[in-house]
Amino acid sequence: MANTQTALKEAMTTIEGSLGAALVDYSSGMALGTVGGGKDLDLTVAAAGNTDVVRAKVRTMEQLGLKDGIEDILITLGTQYHLIRLLKGRDSQGLFLYLALDKNRANLAMARHQLRKIEADLEV
């Protein structure tokens, strides 16, 4: 089992094109851990902003009466992918992994696969 910092470092090293990663509590909008980022990618701001995205989607699903769970939310920019993966474990309710990728270097399918593996090993 990996702790937060180990899991985020693994995302940065094993997922091609990773620019930054965070574990976020979407009830508060706070990043519980971050790796990467920089002046062009403030992961604290991204954590708070993506919390709004997750809350909006969860609320919309409730209003629609959908009884399904969200696996991933993908935001495609001109030069980046932003991948949000809601965690499923009992102890990880209300958490998501956030990963920003360089669109020219990343393989989106492999990134999703690796993020799923990292989630499975993550102990919060």
Side-chain angles (χ1 to χ4, degrees), residues 32-77:
L32 304 178
T34 63
V35 174
K39 68 177 179 69
D40 294 330
L41 180 61
D42 184 329
L43 292 171
T44 304
V45 172
N50 285 307
T51 293
D52 292 337
V53 171
V54 170
R55 288 178 185 160
K57 189 59 189 171
V58 168
R59 187 172 47 253
T60 301
M61 289 179 62
E62 288 170 357
Q63 291 171 346
L64 292 171
L66 298 176
K67 303 292 184 214
D68 210 347
I70 299 170
E71 286 184 13
D72 300 313
I73 298 171
L74 172 64
I75 300 168
T76 305
L77 306 177

